[in-house]
Amino acid sequence: MNIIPSKKMSLFEPAIFGDLKSFAKKQEAKGMELIDLSLGSPDIPPHEMLRNHMSELSKRSSSYGYTLSGSKEFLEAVANYYKRVNKVDLIPETEIVQTIGSQEGLVHLPIAFCDPDDFVLTTNPGYVAYAAGISLAGAQPYYIPLDENRGFLPNLNAIPEEIAKKAKLLILNMPGNPVPMSPSIEYFTEVVEFAKKYNIIVLHDAAYSEFYFTGEAPISFLATPGAKEVGLEINSLSKSFSLAGARVAYIVGNAEMISIIKQLKSNLDFGIFDPIQSTAAVALNHAEEITANLRSTFSERHTTLMNGLKALGWEVAPSNGGMFVWAKYPYEIDSVSFAFKAIEQTGVLMVPGTTFGSEGEGYMRLALVQEKHLLEEAVQRLKTISF
């Protein structure tokens, strides 16, 4: 049988993560001890109360039907969380929609709003799911330069007028992945004004909103005056509550936009396993208690890895949050080759910067997903790399 993929599949190249893992396993088979700083998969287990809650609900025979959408318990927990943490009022029934992890929401959202002639504004480097969603919708990406002088914030003033007029969607991510830029009310005010001027929908990816290393949490986009008129915010429980495998997230904001997303999702899925929804609600209702330990742990890891790489002569992007370090290495070698060389010589897995866009050349993304002593060991190993 001659199996031919669709033409659209040419837009979706295999991710490099699999190749890195495969190569690493070969080195491990030769006796190399690996330190994996590639995937942003939390190594800290979910809080005991969450594990116990999901376990008990999963035993119930009544837990296995279709949920169709977000449960009342879950939607109200999201609204209460936003009220407590972000000082943002949300109507559970009309301003919140559940997604099967943020990846699903990010990839499908452009389909709801974009046509083939539309531009989607995003960043280079940027999270890989954004490009996948843009391609799936058949829209055209336009990559906004990052302004290093303003903490790597996307420079809206650099977007040509003719592009802005054709743009339908703007995707932002702060604290960012892979570049951990931090938001401010001043910057988000610029975003709202820009969106109103050009009639552009804003989607802010707040997946790392609980990962901050100072006493002040990152501002929610929806806390900006006028933000709910122009946009949405997506957040996930994968990172902040170590529920990555549970696949539960939500989009909040403009009611009309939420209604359109609900219409799309009603044709795509039948909701999330009820024990997962209920456990997510418990997590959100106890967020302050659960995430305090997370911040302490990741703050220490961030300082350890950042200072260690700087001592090796790497240029580390300054950050006050996120779960990654974005750093420029001091060698004349392309980032993909360097990533494989590092695995071969040191056993340290990192993601080459070009995975996230052409402007990532010369950089590595390192995830803070190992204990402090292993991060220190990784730095010592990287010190020995040679060409």
Side-chain angles (χ1 to χ4, degrees), residues 188-380:
F188 277 154
T189 298
E190 288 182 31
V191 172
V192 171
E193 292 173 353
F194 178 83
K196 287 184 175 180
K197 179 178 179 180
Y198 294 105
N199 194 40
I200 297 172
I201 295 168
V202 178
L203 174 64
H204 178 236
D205 181 0
Y208 305 97
S209 61
E210 291 286 1
F211 286 77
Y212 55 94
F213 310 137
T214 62
E216 188 173 350
I219 185 174
S220 164
F221 173 64
L222 295 185
T224 311
K228 203 185 286 188
E229 298 173 33
V230 300
L232 304 160
E233 191 158 68
I234 186 169
N235 207 337
S236 166
L237 283 82
S238 293
K239 316 295 186 182
S240 300
F241 299 95
S242 297
L243 292 171
R247 310 312 304 141
V248 57
Y250 54 85
I251 303 174
V252 296
N254 184 281
E256 186 176 356
M257 297 175 194
I258 293 292
S259 177
I260 293 170
I261 297 169
K262 286 181 177 180
Q263 179 184 345
L264 173 65
K265 282 183 63 61
S266 70
N267 290 273
L268 297 177
D269 65 74
F270 289 100
I272 297 172
F273 187 41
D274 185 67
I276 291 177
Q277 293 203 47
S278 184
T279 301
V282 172
L284 292 167
N285 289 335
H286 294 83
E288 292 84 348
E289 174 187 351
I290 294 172
T291 59
N293 178 64
L294 173 100
R295 281 189 289 278
S296 175
T297 299
F298 277 84
S299 178
E300 182 180 45
R301 293 178 180 184
H302 176 262
T303 299
T304 298
L305 188 55
M306 178 180 64
N307 290 342
L309 292 175
K310 284 183 177 179
L312 299 184
W314 293 45
E315 297 177 25
V316 181
S319 66
N320 294 318
M323 68 180 300
F324 303 101
V325 167
W326 180 249
K328 188 174 185 178
Y329 52 84
Y331 310 107
E332 293 296 327
I333 182 174
D334 69 89
S335 62
V336 172
S337 298
F338 180 65
F340 284 100
K341 181 74 71 175
I343 295 172
E344 182 180 29
Q345 293 191 12
T346 71
V348 178
L349 280 74
M350 304 172 286
V351 181
T354 49
T355 302
F356 309 97
S358 59
E359 294 302 311
E361 185 59 83
Y363 288 84
M364 288 286 138
R365 191 198 74 175
L366 300 90
L368 304 171
V369 293
Q370 300 288 351
E371 295 180 6
K372 179 183 176 182
H373 75 277
L374 288 175
L375 295 177
E376 292 172 337
E377 172 68 19
V379 170
Q380 290 306 310

